[in-house]
Amino acid sequence: MRHLCGKAVVVTGAGSGLGAAYAAAAAAAGAFVVINDIDRSAATATGRRVPNSVIDTSDISTWQGAKDLIDRCVGVFGRIDGLVNNAGVVKVGPPEQASEEDLRQVIGVNLLGTAFCGTLALQRMIPLNHGSIVNVTSGAQAGMPTVAGYSASKGGITSLTYSWAAAVAGTGVRVNAVSPNARTPLAQAVAENHPEVQTGTFSPESNTPAVVFLLSHLAHDVNGSVVTTGGDEMSVLTRPRRGRTQRREGWTPEAVRRLFE
């Protein structure tokens, strides 16, 4: 079914892995696609396999790069209907060994890149009361000891999703997220250090139906959801909520201790 027929969709980090799969799935559903990747050769390789596409090598970790990307979509296709914020990097190691450069790169690409592209896309979408943003988060947001910066960036993306969704409610624009499980180089880097984590298990392609759904009119009433994807299983995450609660007058450190018992 061509659920995205005629829509213009931007996919960041689309040179390989999940991004390439998302771009191919969007095109197969009828979309015109902007394939963004800072690696020109990777973007070009994806472009050869994806019809009705153009490539873009803007660095989305900068405001100007993100602006150039969104402007390119509008300049080429006359509109932007969808954005998949997929671009991401990971640095593996104990948190105390992380360098300033490592942390700036991970937060810059993953979180700021998502924030920049999404903000600039919303500026185009809200006045037209139309558009869908799909952010890509990760189960790592719950915390993994050797990818702390990556985990923090993905937790930030989830919070951005909830915040943007609340802001655009009722405008005709929707913001959701997916948390994929796929065999990619990034997932392999995580899995090698966390064999107990079930990640990098499924094909990138098995993670694409939810993204196509969220970009399409089928999801016209879905806003502020995070969907886990991969293989034959899918779920909608429950938002963080308050846990154990007590009330008392005159809290003391000892009383706080009893809250944890």
Side-chain angles (χ1 to χ4, degrees):
M1 298 293 290
R2 294 172 67 81
H3 296 300
L4 303 179
C5 190
K7 294 185 181 296
V9 175
V10 172
V11 182
T12 67
S16 62
L18 282 163
Y22 294 148
F32 301 102
V33 183
V34 180
I35 296 166
N36 166 261
D37 202 292
I38 198 169
D39 184 335
R40 179 176 292 277
S41 62
T44 301
T46 299
R48 292 194 188 101
R49 298 183 285 109
V50 176
N52 299 319
S53 67
V54 296
I55 68 167
D56 178 273
T57 59
S58 300
D59 180 359
I60 54 91
S61 70
T62 70
W63 182 266
Q64 186 60 52
K67 184 177 186 303
D68 289 344
L69 170 60
I70 302 305
D71 286 349
R72 178 160 174 74
C73 183
V74 175
V76 173
F77 299 122
R79 57 194 292 163
I80 177 168
D81 300 293
L83 167 65
V84 182
N85 275 314
N86 168 78
V89 296
V90 65
K91 299 292 183 179
V92 180
E96 71 274 16
Q97 294 180 12
S99 67
E100 178 184 359
E101 181 181 6
D102 288 344
L103 291 171
R104 287 190 180 278
Q105 183 182 15
V106 169
I107 299 298
V109 174
N110 299 2
L111 181 53
L112 288 180
T114 294
F116 293 164
C117 290
T119 298
L120 291 159
L122 287 173
Q123 290 176 6
R124 298 281 191 168
M125 294 175 174
I126 290 174
L128 300 178
N129 300 312
H130 170 77
S132 173
I133 294 177
V134 181
N135 295 325
V136 180
T137 183
S138 167
Q141 66 177 305
M144 289 185 181
T146 63
V147 289
Y150 176 80
S151 298
S153 72
K154 291 301 184 177
I157 288 170
T158 300
S159 293
L160 268 180
T161 301
Y162 294 146
S163 299
W164 285 346
V168 302
T171 68
V173 179
R174 298 172 290 105
V175 183
N176 296 282
V178 293
S179 177
N181 183 343
R183 292 189 297 271
T184 65
L186 188 150
Q188 184 61 33
V190 174
E192 286 174 356
N193 289 268
H194 294 281
E196 77 283 1
V197 177
Q198 295 297 311
T199 189
T201 306
F202 305 109
S203 70
E205 290 72 21
S206 73
N207 289 264
T208 62
V211 171
V212 172
F213 163 76
L214 291 171
L215 290 171
S216 76
H217 182 69
L218 292 174
H220 66 92
D221 58 347
V222 180
N223 185 43
S225 291
V226 179
V227 184
T228 65
T229 64
D232 61 357
E233 184 175 279
M234 192 175 297
S235 61
V236 179
L237 294 185
T238 301
R239 289 195 185 191
R241 57 188 177 86
R242 183 181 299 185
R244 185 182 298 113
T245 304
Q246 294 180 6
R247 291 186 176 88
R248 67 172 61 236
E249 293 184 6
W251 281 95
T252 65
E254 292 76 17
V256 175
R257 172 60 195 171
R258 286 193 287 274
L259 180 67
F260 286 84
E261 292 173 350

